[in-house]
Amino acid sequence: MVKIGERSPGDSGPPQPGLAFEVNNDLQVSAEYLSSFSGLEEILNDVRLINAFQFYDRQAVLHKGRFQRIGLWSLVFATVTLMTAAIGALSSSPLTLRLGVWGVVLDGGSAVAIVLVFWNRVARHRALWCQAVFCRERLRQWHFQLFLDGELVRRLMSERDQAKGELDKRWGELQQNLRDGYGMMTAFIHHGSHESDIVHKVTPYDDPKVGNLVLDAMWTLRVEHQLRLSQRRIEPVGEQAGLTLDERARFSEAVAVTSFAGAVLVGASGLLLSLYHNLPVLGQLSWDFVAVNRIVGGSALILAVMSAASRAYRAGYTLPGELDSYKEYADRTREVEAAFRSAESLLERFRQMEKLETEAAAELRRFLRMKMQATFVF
C-alpha cells in the first residue's frame, strides 16, 4: 500500500503510450512498431516528410486559432452593440445616454467588430489555415499512397540505392507543386478526379509476402487510425478541453431556434395588445399601453439578436456541416474496412486501400470547401 506523500511504483520509469493526446501517430511511428516491419522502416518513417508535415501542422494550428479567435471576438463586439440597442428599446431613453462614457464604449462595439473582420481578411488567416491543412494532408496522402505502388516499394526494400532516385524525383515534384499552394489547393477543390487524387502509380505486388507485410502496416496506420480519428471527432460526449462538435452543434442550434421562436411569439403578443388598445369592445387595458408595447418590442428584438448571434457562431465554426462531414467519412471508412476484411485476394485488398485513399482525398475536398466559406460576421 502506498502512503500519502510517497511515489507510486507506477510513477517511475519512462512515460508509456495511451494517455497523451496524439493525433498524428500514423506518421510518427514508434520504434517498437517499426521493428516488426523489416525492410519498411525507412519508408514508414520518412524523416523529411515528417519534418515538412510538422511545419504545415504548426501553421494550420496557428492560423486556425487566429481566424477563430478574431472572428469570435468580432461577433462578441457586434452582438454587445446590438444587445445594447435592444435593451435601450425597453426604456424611454437609449441605454447609452444613461451610461455616459460607457455608453460610448458600447456603441463602439460595431466599429471594433468591423475592424476585426477586416483584420482577419487582410491577414488571410482563413486562407492560410486552409492552405496549411491542404499541404499537410496531401503530404499524408502522398506518404500512404506510395504503398499502392508495389513495384517501387519492392525496389525500395531490395535495391534502395537505385530506387531512391525515383522516390526523390517524386518528392521533388511534390515540393515544387506545393510552392503554388493556393493555386494547387483551388485546383484540387474545383477540379478533383481520381487521377489527381492518387499521386503515385498503382502497381501490383509480385511478391505476396511483401504485399501482406505492407497491408499489415497499413491496417494499423491507415485504416484503424482513420476510424479512431473520425470517431473521436464525432464523439457526442468528450472529456477533452471544451465542448465536442456534437455538443456545440446541439447547443447553438437550441439557442438559435428557441430565441427566434420566442421573438416571434413575443411579437405576436404585441398584436393582441394593439387589438385590446384599439378595439374597446374587447375591453380596456389597465396598463400603460405605450410602455408595455415598448417592452414587448424590445424583448422581441433582444431574442432576435440572440438568434442571429447563435447562427453567426454556427456559420463561423461551420456547424453542423463539419460534424456531418466527419460522420459521412466515418461511415465510408467503415464500409472500406468491411470490404477489406471480406476480400479474399491480395489484389482486392489493395483495391480497398486505393478506395480508402480516394475517400480521404474526397473528405479533404469537402473540408476545404466548407472552411473556405466560414465567416462570423461578414
Side-chain angles (χ1 to χ4, degrees):
M1 181 176 178
V2 180
K3 297 180 180 179
I4 296 176
E6 292 183 355
R7 292 187 63 188
S8 167
D11 292 338
S12 60
Q16 297 298 313
L19 299 181
F21 184 72
E22 300 180 19
V23 293
N24 294 316
N25 48 19
D26 54 339
L27 292 177
Q28 298 167 318
V29 186
S30 67
E32 294 83 358
Y33 187 79
L34 286 174
S35 65
S36 302
F37 296 91
S38 178
L40 290 176
E41 298 95 335
E42 290 189 42
I43 312 175
L44 289 171
N45 190 38
D46 190 336
V47 176
R48 64 182 176 184
L49 183 138
I50 292 172
N51 290 336
F53 180 92
Q54 290 175 339
F55 168 78
Y56 289 120
D57 187 53
R58 290 192 298 269
Q59 292 298 305
V61 171
L62 173 68
H63 291 289
K64 173 186 178 180
R66 289 178 177 176
F67 167 72
Q68 292 184 340
R69 283 194 298 271
I70 295 173
L72 187 59
W73 276 111
S74 68
L75 177 59
V76 168
F77 279 109
T79 302
V80 167
T81 299
L82 293 175
M83 289 295 286
T84 301
I87 293 172
L90 297 173
S91 61
S92 57
S93 61
L95 180 63
T96 52
L97 292 180
R98 289 181 280 125
L99 293 177
V101 175
W102 285 108
V104 176
V105 174
L106 292 175
D107 270 343
S110 291
V112 174
I114 293 173
V115 171
L116 290 175
V117 168
F118 280 104
W119 177 17
N120 224 351
R121 289 180 177 271
V122 171
R124 299 183 65 247
H125 290 307
R126 181 180 63 186
L128 289 172
W129 168 29
C130 290
Q131 284 178 241
V133 169
F134 169 75
C135 294
R136 182 190 69 190
E137 294 308 314
R138 287 304 276 171
L139 280 172
R140 193 198 305 268
Q141 291 164 18
W142 187 93
H143 174 70
F144 285 108
Q145 289 176 20
L146 172 63
F147 294 96
L148 297 176
D149 190 345
E151 175 60 23
L152 180 58
V153 172
R154 181 196 63 79
R155 292 177 57 207
L156 286 169
M157 293 178 68
S158 60
E159 46 189 63
R160 182 169 181 82
D161 291 339
Q162 293 84 351
K164 191 174 183 300
E166 173 61 23
L167 185 63
D168 291 343
K169 177 184 176 183
R170 296 186 188 184
W171 174 257
E173 290 176 354
L174 174 65
Q175 292 299 295
Q176 182 60 35
N177 286 329
L178 289 177
R179 293 174 68 91
D180 185 19
Y182 190 80
M184 188 180 179
M185 181 183 71
T186 54
F188 175 82
I189 293 174
H190 301 295
H191 307 290
S193 65
H194 181 271
E195 290 73 19
S196 61
D197 290 346
I198 305 298
V199 294
H200 292 287
K201 293 184 294 184
V202 179
T203 60
Y205 282 80
D206 295 332
D207 186 347
K209 183 179 179 180
V210 174
N212 284 315
L213 183 68
V214 168
L215 286 176
D216 287 343
M218 291 302 99
W219 176 257
T220 300
L221 297 178
R222 197 57 169 154
V223 180
E224 290 190 329
H225 176 81
Q226 290 298 302
L227 280 171
R228 293 166 186 158
L229 182 63
S230 56
Q231 184 60 44
R232 183 183 65 80
R233 285 170 169 168
I234 63 177
E235 190 67 26
V237 179
E239 294 186 356
Q240 301 295 337
L243 299 175
T244 64
L245 277 175
D246 184 65
E247 291 169 334
R248 287 160 54 195
R250 287 189 286 108
F251 178 73
S252 59
E253 176 67 11
V255 172
V257 171
T258 304
S259 57
F260 186 76
V264 173
L265 292 174
V266 171
S269 67
L271 173 63
L272 297 178
L273 290 173
S274 297
L275 289 175
Y276 268 94
H277 180 72
N278 293 294
L279 298 176
V281 69
L282 297 177
Q284 293 293 325
L285 290 173
S286 59
W287 314 316
D288 182 350
F289 172 75
V290 175
V292 172
N293 195 53
R294 185 170 56 244
I295 292 173
V296 169
S299 300
L301 186 56
I302 290 172
L303 291 170
V305 170
M306 288 177 58
S307 179
S310 182
R311 294 192 183 280
Y313 173 88
R314 290 166 65 81
Y317 285 98
T318 58
L319 299 171
E322 184 172 356
L323 178 62
D324 294 340
S325 179
Y326 287 140
K327 287 181 178 178
E328 182 180 351
Y329 181 58
D331 291 340
R332 292 181 181 275
T333 305
R334 290 191 190 96
E335 292 176 4
V336 173
E337 178 197 28
F340 184 93
R341 288 181 181 275
S342 62
E344 297 180 355
S345 67
L346 186 68
L347 180 61
E348 181 57 31
R349 287 196 287 271
F350 270 103
R351 282 176 180 166
Q352 294 306 318
M353 293 305 302
E354 182 180 352
K355 183 178 180 181
L356 178 61
E357 293 304 324
T358 302
E359 292 297 340
E363 169 59 21
L364 175 59
R365 188 171 290 112
R366 285 193 296 269
F367 178 88
L368 294 172
R369 284 174 177 167
M370 178 173 53
K371 292 304 181 181
M372 285 298 287
Q373 300 299 320
T375 179
F376 284 91
V377 179
F378 62 85

